[in-house]
Amino acid sequence: MSQASNHSADAAQPRRSVRGDASSSQLFAGLIDAVIVEDPVAFPFPGSVARSQAMAVWTWINRDLCGDIDLSDLDAAMPQVLARMRDAVAGADADFDAGRRLRAALGNDEARAALPVIMGALRNRAVLDKAQAFGRAVNTIADETALSTAIHSMPLQDPPLAALLFHAAMGQIINPTRVVGAIIRLSGNSNEGTVARAGFGPVIDAILAHAQNQLYLLQPAGPFSDIDLMCRALDRFHRLVRALTGNIEFARGSRWSMVLSSLTKQISDRVEPRLKDVVPDINQALRKPREGADRLDNDRLLAALNGIYLLSAIRDCRDSLALNALFDQAWSQSGQALEMHLQRNLELLRQNPADAIIGTRMEAGIKMAEIRFNPEYAETLRRARAAAERRG
């Protein structure tokens, strides 16, 4: 599956400098990037904040709150910034008109609701870096007892802080299933209520927030979209969701159960149109035009190849998606279409071995066959193509 098998945790997310100037082009100078998630955010979680909401707060700080403070070194200015944020929030809580003015300055109620999370992240910005290091360390802990001890060392008695730290850590954790297994052992039961009462609700929230954060990576369209990025996002979503659904017993109708169901539908809805295009793209890319001179449609060839990569990724992740019937149809029909076009192009190549256009179609079809079927079948086709060209 292309390079989509690179399973680095949330590898698709952009990395930003953790220090730097406080210009508006770099949200909070990168100090709280570990808890920033990308829009769309249908379900807010206590350990993360949507980029659009954080940007609204950052604009408010620069424009209205701290215009007389030098923010070029935001880390050094943070005590003053936090003091003014606390005063503004306290005033808004105490006075209805002040609260209304604050909401107006921020632009929406969602940004106002995100203020406590942002302030918590700014207060604990130093330990966010440590939480990310903790997440990377989890990947190297082989002993399950040691893993459970490490997770139990997190500040479970402080849920808001635990939410931030688990979110920051989860972005670095390659195999979330191991973490879920550890919290089940520590809780003594796999029931969601038991896990929550043991203080591990922030772990489930963090996994769901990171699963939701794959949505924005599935928006690109067109032949030049980054299909490898999309495949990695699907793989990451699958690993996160399967860590929960394969281990935690969720109550019917619970919030977590509802979020899982909704995210599965949203991810599937994003992928469905691309899945429907796979077979038409193959047909148009690998066949000779019915009218006019023969010519290559390079955009269509790229779209067909990308579709096969995506189809392969969906096959690996189908247990976490709601695409079974559509996938089965696309998988079967793509195989039939590839075999038919490869045989037709092979016959055309035997008739005219020097035809570069047919050769290019054959080469692209063999690459698709390698992904859709297996390398052995592709190698057989390469030998048949070489034999056809030698006859010329």
Side-chain angles (χ1 to χ4, degrees):
M1 185 181 65
S2 174
Q3 307 221 346
S5 56
N6 176 2
H7 298 311
S8 61
D10 286 359
Q13 295 187 37
R15 300 292 180 224
R16 294 173 178 82
S17 170
V18 180
R19 294 292 184 266
D21 72 44
S23 67
S24 60
S25 63
Q26 190 179 34
L27 189 56
F28 288 100
L31 292 174
I32 60 170
D33 276 2
V35 296
I36 298 292
V37 293
E38 306 297 334
D39 296 279
V41 176
F43 300 101
F45 293 97
S48 60
V49 60
R51 181 170 297 280
S52 60
Q53 296 162 16
M55 183 58 76
V57 173
W58 182 227
T59 300
W60 167 67
I61 289 171
N62 278 273
R63 183 193 62 212
D64 302 334
L65 200 64
C66 300
D68 59 334
I69 298 176
D70 180 6
L71 299 180
S72 61
D73 185 350
L74 185 59
D75 207 16
M78 192 55 67
Q80 290 176 279
V81 174
L82 280 171
R84 293 193 182 185
M85 292 177 76
R86 282 194 300 270
D87 290 344
V89 170
D93 288 341
D95 180 74
F96 175 81
D97 287 336
R100 181 173 53 79
R101 287 193 297 271
L102 177 57
R103 287 193 298 274
L106 291 170
N108 55 63
D109 290 337
E110 290 77 15
R112 169 65 182 90
L115 267 175
V117 180
I118 293 173
M119 292 170 65
L122 291 171
R123 280 195 304 270
N124 295 286
R125 59 197 180 280
V127 290
L128 291 180
D129 290 342
K130 294 180 180 178
Q132 289 184 304
F134 170 83
R136 290 189 291 271
V138 164
N139 298 326
T140 66
I141 300 175
D143 181 70
E144 299 301 328
T145 301
L147 176 60
S148 296
T149 301
I151 291 173
H152 199 257
S153 69
M154 295 288 269
L156 303 175
Q157 72 286 351
D158 186 346
L161 178 57
L164 291 167
L165 299 187
F166 275 119
H167 184 92
M170 192 57 62
Q172 307 299 316
I173 293 172
I174 295 172
N175 186 359
T177 296
R178 294 187 64 230
V179 175
V180 173
I183 67 172
I184 288 174
R185 287 192 296 274
L186 290 166
S187 303
N189 193 297
S190 62
N191 179 273
E192 69 165 284
T194 304
V195 172
R197 285 190 294 274
F200 294 111
V203 177
I204 297 178
D205 281 341
I207 291 174
L208 289 171
H210 280 279
Q212 180 173 247
N213 202 33
Q214 307 310 307
L215 268 170
Y216 83 103
L217 295 169
L218 298 174
Q219 296 182 97
F224 300 106
S225 59
D226 192 336
I227 202 69
D228 195 58
L229 202 63
M230 295 178 69
C231 290
R232 288 204 304 270
L234 280 173
D235 176 75
R236 183 63 173 159
F237 178 81
H238 173 65
R239 285 170 172 258
L240 291 161
V241 168
R242 289 300 293 168
L244 296 177
T245 58
N247 296 280
I248 302 288
E249 297 174 21
F250 291 101
R252 185 184 297 273
S254 72
R255 179 178 184 272
W256 282 332
S257 180
M258 178 192 71
V259 170
L260 275 166
S261 177
S262 178
L263 290 181
T264 298
K265 184 179 186 306
Q266 289 180 59
I267 289 282
S268 300
D269 287 347
R270 291 285 175 93
V271 174
E272 183 176 330
R274 297 293 294 261
L275 195 54
K276 289 180 177 178
D277 288 340
V278 172
V279 175
D281 283 341
I282 291 172
N283 287 332
Q284 293 183 51
L286 296 183
R287 72 184 174 202
K288 182 178 179 180
R290 291 190 174 92
E291 297 179 355
D294 194 6
R295 63 180 182 84
L296 284 174
D297 187 337
N298 289 317
D299 286 356
R300 190 67 66 177
L301 278 173
L302 181 58
L305 184 59
N306 283 346
I308 291 292
Y309 276 123
L310 186 63
L311 190 65
S312 179
I314 293 170
R315 184 192 188 199
D316 294 338
C317 306
R318 62 181 301 182
D319 289 346
S320 300
L321 302 171
L323 292 167
N324 282 340
L326 182 59
F327 169 80
D328 288 339
Q329 180 183 33
W331 185 257
S332 173
Q333 291 180 354
S334 66
Q336 294 169 5
L338 272 174
E339 288 185 321
M340 177 188 69
H341 288 297
L342 283 164
Q343 289 303 315
R344 286 182 178 177
N345 280 293
L346 189 58
E347 287 300 320
L348 291 171
L349 198 61
R350 286 168 180 155
Q351 296 168 20
N352 191 357
D355 193 314
I357 292 178
I358 297 173
T360 301
R361 285 200 190 100
M362 192 70 193
E363 181 181 350
I366 290 172
K367 181 61 179 177
M368 294 178 208
E370 185 173 8
I371 302 163
R372 168 59 179 81
F373 298 107
N374 53 64
E376 292 75 21
Y377 180 50
E379 187 57 34
T380 299
L381 291 168
R382 288 191 182 98
R383 289 196 295 268
R385 175 191 173 184
E389 290 174 338
R390 281 196 300 273
R391 289 195 184 101

